[in-house]
Amino acid sequence: MKSTRQQEILDIIAAQEIETQEQLLERLKARGISTTQATISRDIKQLHLVKELTAGGIYKYAVSHHKTAANFAGRLRTIFRESVISFDFAQNIVVIKAMSGLGSAVGAAIDGMEIPDMVGSLSGDDTTILIMRTNDSAAEFCEEVREMLS
């Protein structure tokens, strides 16, 4: 039901200029979906909808261009909590040890984050190596990971 409702929300905002949550509730009701304002508010947050200015000078709901970064942040957190065994750095190199078979998933999630001080990454079965621009950026990255996992 949630995924159906959220897909309907995406369809509605793609086809119409929706300015308010009340308008969105009305359009959903017209499509046979009854829900509450609180649920719509949560859906808007989960779908990463934002209000953007249209050519006509009104604000309407739209999918955020930063959605992918937010999704990757959530995925990275989940992947790290579920699979990372350890991490450390030596100078500008960060080494992340993961459970067997999950090194590439960790690397892909990190690559999707577009970390500004990361030069590149290399992933294997259970290890991901990050090349950072400076020693300080490697230390900062490890500290962010430590905070994320605590």
Side-chain angles (χ1 to χ4, degrees), residues 12-132:
I12 290 167
I13 66 168
Q16 303 171 33
E17 291 184 350
I18 302 296
E19 297 178 65
T20 66
Q21 290 182 12
E22 291 78 23
Q23 287 176 331
L24 194 51
L25 278 168
E26 290 171 12
R27 301 308 188 286
L28 285 169
K29 188 175 181 181
R31 292 182 179 209
I33 298 174
S34 180
T35 190
T36 66
Q37 185 275 328
T39 299
I40 292 297
S41 183
R42 280 190 298 274
D43 287 340
I44 287 169
K45 184 175 182 179
Q46 290 173 355
L47 292 169
H48 305 284
L49 301 183
V50 295
K51 288 224 176 166
E52 68 178 22
L53 187 62
T54 66
I58 63 167
Y59 284 91
K60 69 170 190 160
Y61 281 106
V63 177
S64 170
H65 298 295
H66 301 290
K67 178 183 176 185
T68 54
N71 283 345
F72 277 121
R75 287 183 195 156
L76 179 63
R77 199 173 288 99
T78 299
I79 289 169
F80 270 55
R81 286 190 175 132
E82 299 292 324
S83 62
V84 170
I85 296 168
S86 66
F87 58 93
D88 204 350
F89 71 98
Q91 295 184 8
N92 68 321
I93 298 172
V94 177
V95 178
I96 301 170
K97 298 293 283 178
M99 292 176 10
S100 183
L102 295 175
S104 293
V106 170
I110 290 170
D111 286 344
M113 290 295 296
E114 299 178 11
I115 299 165
D117 288 332
M118 187 174 77
V119 177
S121 67
L122 179 66
S123 297
D125 181 63
D126 64 354
T127 305
T128 296
I129 296 174
L130 309 178
I131 311 300
M132 305 302 283

